[in-house]
Amino acid sequence: KLGVELDDEHLRRKMVGKCGPCFLGHKDMEEAGGQCCNSCADVQSVFKRKALRRLKWDEHPLCRHEALLADPAKLVGVHEGCNLFGFLEVNKVAGNFHVAPGKAFESAAGQLIHEFKPFDSNTYNVSHLIHSLSFGVHYPGRQNPLDESQRILRTGSGVVQYFVKVVPTTYSFTSGRVITSCQYSVTEQFKKANDGSVQGYVLPGVFFIYDISPIMVTFTEERPAFAHFLTSLCAIVGGVFTVAGIIDSCIYSVGGGGGGLSL
């Protein structure tokens, strides 16, 4: 709900044709002519351009969402979760994707860094339910091990790591159509946020660490030949007659038919 109602794009659509104030709640600040703040990005831009250090952009009503992202500890009072769905295109090399608290940005060295308060890491709730996770398009008979799996944390926090082994797979239909997809196996590991064996702080979150297998699996549909059908049919008929003969023999023996009749 917060993500939808306070998202920048949603706010811009809502404020079309309007001119929102940039210094709401600050009567000592004069609004410049033609200056409008219809999203948090506008507020941040104005505050940065005017170098307003004594004012905090995250106190502006339009920036409540971004303020929560910058300080996820404020989410304690928000009793709702997130529903994530979508698609990712990744290179055919080992990597990972994850869901973690804090605002993410790329450092000068090319590393992905999450901005969050490490002292509050034990308060982040990383409980989750995975409805579906797949690699590639669906093909008949495929099973995804993580579908409908869940991890619920009653107390504390930590990092949940799923180590996924992705196996390239092709499926050939009898019609000649071929599907190129993947299947995977998975193992998991959980590490507490206050784990004393780890130096520093553990970034809470859910991590999917995947590796691509060099081996490919191929499934091929084959239509049984007519001769195979006849052989199977004869085997079934012969089995039925054999079983019927055994049952008839047992009934004859139990009924005393072996004594015969004397004339």
Side-chain angles (χ1 to χ4, degrees), residues 6 9 18 20 50 82 102 115 119 131 147 153 158 162-163 167 205 212-213 232 248 254 256 261:
L6 299 178
E9 184 178 351
K18 301 179 181 179
K50 293 183 176 294
C82 302
E115 182 182 359
F119 297 103
H131 294 285
D147 286 2
L153 300 182
Y162 294 102
F163 298 93
V167 181
I212 311 297
S213 173
S232 300
D248 180 69
V254 171
L261 296 174

Side-chain angles (χ1 to χ4, degrees), residues 54 56 70 112 148 168-169 195-196 205 224-225 261:
R54 66 184 182 87
K56 296 182 179 180
L112 184 65
E148 301 302 328
T169 304
D195 191 350
L261 296 174

Side-chain angles (χ1 to χ4, degrees), residues 213-241:
S213 173
I215 301 175
M216 175 177 284
V217 176
T218 300
F219 295 102
T220 305
E221 286 186 350
E222 293 183 352
R223 192 183 302 276
F226 185 69
H228 181 268
F229 169 74
L230 288 179
T231 304
S232 300
L233 181 61
C234 292
I236 294 173
V237 173
V240 170
F241 275 100

Side-chain angles (χ1 to χ4, degrees), residues 23-219:
F23 305 109
L24 189 64
H26 299 281
K27 297 181 179 180
D28 56 329
M29 296 297 299
E30 184 178 354
E31 299 283 352
Q35 177 179 275
C36 300
C37 290
N38 294 337
S39 69
C40 184
D42 295 338
V43 175
Q44 293 180 4
S45 177
V46 171
F47 277 45
K48 183 178 180 180
R49 186 172 64 251
K50 293 183 176 294
L52 301 174
R53 297 183 181 275
R54 66 184 182 87
L55 300 181
K56 296 182 179 180
W57 62 265
D58 55 355
E59 294 180 352
H60 197 284
L62 293 178
C63 293
R64 285 185 296 164
H65 187 210
E66 281 70 12
L68 291 175
L69 294 178
D71 186 9
K74 296 179 181 179
L75 288 172
V76 174
V78 181
H79 302 288
E80 62 181 45
C82 302
N83 189 15
L84 304 178
F85 64 93
F87 301 87
L88 293 175
E89 290 187 4
V90 297
N91 296 324
K92 292 184 179 180
V93 294
N96 80 86
F97 56 93
H98 55 270
V99 180
K103 188 174 183 179
F105 61 93
E106 187 174 354
S107 67
Q111 297 178 335
L112 184 65
I113 299 177
H114 285 260
E115 182 182 359
F116 75 107
K117 293 183 178 180
F119 297 103
D120 296 330
S121 61
N122 197 48
T123 63
Y124 299 138
N125 190 341
V126 296
S127 299
H128 58 276
L129 166 63
I130 303 174
H131 294 285
S132 179
L133 177 65
S134 61
F135 291 81
V137 298
H138 180 76
Y139 60 84
R142 184 175 73 170
Q143 295 182 349
N144 300 317
L146 285 177
D147 286 2
E148 301 302 328
S149 62
Q150 64 179 353
R151 172 64 74 109
I152 305 298
L153 300 182
R154 303 298 179 186
T155 57
S157 183
V159 54
V160 182
Q161 295 175 313
Y162 294 102
F163 298 93
V164 181
K165 191 70 173 181
V166 182
V167 181
T169 304
T170 59
Y171 191 97
S172 300
F173 292 88
T174 54
S175 61
R177 186 168 67 97
V178 178
I179 291 179
T180 301
S181 185
C182 295
Q183 58 182 315
Y184 67 90
S185 60
V186 63
T187 57
E188 62 179 272
Q189 173 182 287
F190 175 73
K191 191 177 298 182
K192 292 184 178 179
N194 56 354
D195 191 350
S197 63
V198 181
Q199 295 181 354
Y201 295 93
V202 174
L203 174 64
V206 182
F207 286 72
F208 300 89
I209 304 166
Y210 62 88
D211 188 17
I212 311 297
S213 173
I215 301 175
M216 175 177 284
V217 176
T218 300
F219 295 102

